[in-house]
Structure formats: C-alpha cells, structure tokens
Amino acid sequence: MRIGTAFAHLAKSATIMDAQVKMYSTQNELSTGKKVSAPSDDPVNASQIVTAQASVARQASFSANQAYLEGELRQLESTLGSIGDTISTAREMLVAAGNGIFNDADRRSIANNLTSLRAQLVSLGNTRGSDGQYLFAGFQSGTTPFSQSASGIVYAGDSGTRGVVVASGLAIQSNADGQSLFMQIPTGNGTFSTGVAATNTGNVKIDTGTVTSTAALTGQNYEIRFTGSATIDVVNTTTSTLVKTQAYVTGQAISFDGMQMTLAGTPTIGDKFVVAQGQTASVFDAIDQAISALNTAVLSDTERAKVNDAVRQASASIEQAFNVALAKRVEVGGRMTALDTAAQVGEGLAFENKALLSKLQDVDYVEAASRFASQQTGLQAALAAYGQTSRMSLFDYLR
C-alpha cells in the first residue's frame, strides 16, 4: 500500500482541523454557557430544547394567570362577604320591624335605614375588579350592571361567566353573575310563597309555610278562601279545582299537596290567601316592598295585618337572598382551593421543566473545562507531531 506525501499531509491537516473545530466548539460552550448555539450543532438536542422552552413559557403564562385570578377571587370573596353582611343587616331590621309595639315613626325609621342598605347593595353590585371590569356583569363586564329606573333597580348584565386558564385543560371562573346573585332570588321559603290578598278585610295572618313532602308538590298555585267565619276552601287556581274543605281554627296548620302553613287571627268571609310556587324576585324589589310597607300608616288591625304580611314576605325573600350570597361565597372559596391546587402542581411542573431545560442546554463548566484542556493538549501534540513529520521526505535521506 502506497501513501503519497501529499495524501499524508492532507490527512494530518484534516485531523488538525477537526481537533481545532472541537476545541473552538468547547470554547464557545464555555463562553456562552450553552451546549447548543445553533440547531446545526445538535439537531436532536436542539429540538428537545425548543420543546422544553415552550413548556417553560406555557407554565409561566399559567403562573401569571394564577396570580391575576388569585387577586380577582380574593376581591370577589370579600365583596360577597360584604353583600352577605348588608343583606343580614336588612334581615335583622325586618325582624325588628315586626315588633308589635312599634308605631308609624319607628317603622319609617327602619324604612330609611333599609333605603341606605339598598343603595349600599347597588354599590357593591357595581364593584370593579383590578382590571377595571365589573365583577357582577357577566359577559357585559364593561357595562355598569345595576342602575335605577322608574320601575326600580334594573340589571344591564347577563348570566355569563368568565374563566381564566390556570393549567392545561383547567379554567376557573373569575366572576359571579349578578342575575342569579341579585335578580332571581326564590321567594317565600324557596319552594313556595304565601301572601294576603289585597281585598282582605279581616286581620288573619299567614306564615311562610314549609314543605312536608317534595314528592307531593305539584308546582301549581292555590288560594285559601274563607267561605265562612270558621270554614275554608283550598282551591287549585291553576286547574280551578277544589282541593279540600276544612274547619278553620286560628293557629292550626293547614296541609295539602306536600305543603303546610298556619293561619291565625279573625277572618272575614271572602278573605283569601295566595300560595304560589316557583317564583323569583330581585333582592331590591324585596327591600322596596318592605320600605313601602313600613312607610304605610297603620290605622286598623286590617291594615296592620297587611303591612306585617308585606314585611314578612320581604323578610322571607331577603332570607333567601342571604342564602344565595352565602352559597356564592362558599363557591368562590371552592374556586380558591382549586386555584391553590393548580398553583402547587404548576410550581412542580415549572421546576421539572426548568431542570430539564437546564440539563439540555446548560454547560457543565467543570466537564467542559476539562474537555477543553484535553482538546488543547491533543491539538498541541498533533501540531508538534505534524511539524516533525512534515520535514520527513525521501529528499532528506538523499542529502
């Protein structure tokens, strides 16, 4: 096998060039701190680095959303607490308004306090979040949700819910719609409501009633009618059928179709009491009803019975409004717990992603420095050897 002088020079030069490239590559790693400066350096590793960088960026975006949502939920929970406290204060005032020794002036004083609480509820309903959007406007977050009209407080929002993505496949609601919180409060005991007919001339009062059998409920409306001073008919007004006839004893419960309520007082023949199921009203309407009733002068037992019944109905609705506000607050607490869990999981994923990215792209300086020294020594040896062999030729021996 013949090895020409030119070939030997080329082979040795290629070896030296390769050693120089490797040394300069290691030198670049030491200067930049990165294993891969360009995709061509290591296509497979570069692809893995891009994937890891995307994961780190995505988790950083989730973390930013989590921080934003935490602030929103804390404000929402605090506002719901204030709403519940305001409604609770109104409820306590209506309980006090039932005091039999209160005169017209006392009731008007309570009505004035309720007016202030009503305005406070409107203000709370128009609370803005940290981003300037209304918390209780649904999708209409840029529109003031509650305002006064000729007919009372009106709602300009909707029942939409806004979510914030805090983890892969997980979005947590950031608001609470004012429709269900303020405007669609169940009346009465939450299933049915009772009331005194405006035409009554006796002083009989009726309580809020209770459900005795959910299975027996019909979802239909009724009237309790006094056909005699001690006789009542229960009529299903939805179907126009007589449900039952029974003797009236003041303070004795009346039961029918899964419901029970108590009437007490002295009736007049023709007096009626309404039982309606599945109705809703706004908390503002309930307060307005109470304010109107408390501002009414009481000149007779009949008028007192009607005022007390209006206050009772309003009080029952406000009780339901308090329950709704409390349920909303508990729901927000659940969202905050879910957010905390997502944040904890996200912290673990962020650490793992960053560790993987560091492993893929960050230089081990001790190993790289050792490698550089070894490559430098090898290059110097190759250059020295080439310097010696390059002078060796047939002509050197012929001299």
Side-chain angles (χ1 to χ4, degrees):
M1 179 179 180
R2 291 183 179 180
I3 300 178
T5 300
F7 178 81
H9 280 282
L10 289 173
K12 198 62 180 177
S13 295
T15 301
I16 292 172
M17 290 292 291
D18 183 61
Q20 286 178 324
V21 168
K22 290 181 179 178
M23 189 184 74
Y24 292 150
S25 176
T26 302
Q27 186 180 35
N28 186 58
E29 289 181 22
L30 288 168
S31 63
T32 62
K34 304 298 181 184
K35 293 179 182 179
V36 179
S37 297
S40 58
D41 295 341
D42 186 344
V44 174
N45 199 28
S47 176
Q48 293 176 333
I49 288 173
V50 169
T51 301
Q53 287 174 333
S55 297
V56 170
R58 183 168 59 252
Q59 195 56 52
S61 177
F62 289 153
S63 296
N65 287 353
Q66 290 164 7
Y68 161 76
L69 182 60
E70 180 180 9
E72 290 294 287
L73 290 181
R74 287 190 183 282
Q75 183 178 8
L76 181 59
E77 193 273 340
S78 175
T79 305
L80 286 170
S82 297
I83 290 171
D85 291 343
T86 303
I87 293 174
S88 179
T89 301
R91 179 181 58 179
E92 292 169 3
M93 288 184 177
L94 289 179
V95 171
N99 192 325
I101 65 172
F102 275 16
N103 56 29
D104 290 349
D106 295 327
R107 286 189 289 273
R108 281 195 299 271
S109 176
I110 293 176
N112 291 334
N113 289 332
L114 287 175
T115 300
S116 297
L117 291 176
R118 177 182 181 272
Q120 186 174 336
L121 275 181
V122 172
S123 177
L124 289 169
N126 288 332
T127 300
R128 295 175 186 261
S130 60
D131 57 0
Q133 302 297 301
Y134 290 100
L135 293 178
F136 303 107
F139 289 140
Q140 311 303 317
S141 55
T143 302
T144 304
F146 298 99
S147 60
Q148 180 70 50
S149 74
S151 60
I153 299 298
V154 294
Y155 181 60
D158 56 33
S159 58
T161 57
R162 291 178 281 128
V164 177
V165 179
V166 296
S168 181
L170 176 62
I172 296 179
Q173 183 180 336
S174 63
N175 67 338
D177 73 282
Q179 186 78 16
S180 60
L181 178 61
F182 292 102
M183 308 304 290
Q184 294 179 337
I185 305 300
T187 58
N189 56 30
T191 301
F192 65 89
S193 61
T194 60
V196 175
T199 55
N200 285 8
T201 56
N203 64 6
V204 174
K205 60 183 180 180
I206 186 171
D207 66 2
T208 303
T210 58
V211 175
T212 57
S213 173
T214 303
L217 293 174
T218 65
Q220 298 169 345
N221 299 326
Y222 300 81
E223 280 186 357
I224 300 173
R225 302 171 179 174
F226 277 91
T227 56
S229 59
T231 307
I232 57 174
D233 285 351
V234 177
V235 178
N236 183 321
T237 55
T238 302
T239 61
S240 299
T241 56
L242 178 65
V243 176
K244 67 185 299 186
T245 298
Q246 73 174 63
Y248 167 69
V249 177
T250 183
Q252 180 175 301
I254 301 170
S255 300
F256 55 91
D257 291 350
M259 299 176 288
Q260 178 175 289
M261 63 283 304
T262 301
L263 279 70
T266 303
T268 298
I269 296 174
D271 283 356
K272 296 185 294 187
F273 299 84
V274 178
V275 180
Q277 298 194 54
Q279 294 187 335
T280 61
S282 79
V283 65
F284 304 110
D285 288 345
I287 295 175
D288 286 343
Q289 178 183 354
I291 292 172
S292 176
L294 292 172
N295 280 323
T296 301
V298 174
L299 302 176
S300 65
D301 287 345
T302 298
E303 290 176 347
R304 183 180 299 278
K306 291 179 179 178
V307 166
N308 288 343
D309 188 70
V311 171
R312 177 193 61 78
Q313 291 185 56
S315 180
S317 294
I318 288 174
E319 178 73 26
Q320 295 300 321
F322 176 79
N323 293 338
V324 169
L326 179 61
K328 292 284 187 183
R329 190 177 185 184
V330 170
E331 179 188 331
V332 172
R335 291 187 224 162
M336 295 175 73
T337 299
L339 177 60
D340 288 342
T341 301
Q344 291 173 5
V345 173
E347 287 175 2
L349 290 174
F351 177 81
E352 293 175 3
N353 290 333
K354 290 177 181 178
L356 175 60
L357 182 59
S358 177
K359 181 179 179 181
L360 290 171
Q361 70 176 9
D362 292 344
V363 168
D364 181 342
Y365 281 98
V366 174
E367 184 276 332
S370 175
R371 175 161 35 95
F372 179 78
S374 176
Q375 290 170 341
Q376 188 177 41
T377 300
L379 178 60
Q380 290 172 346
L383 289 171
Y386 179 64
Q388 293 295 325
T389 58
S390 65
R391 294 195 299 271
M392 296 177 63
S393 69
L394 178 60
F395 300 104
D396 291 323
Y397 286 101
L398 291 177
R399 279 201 297 259

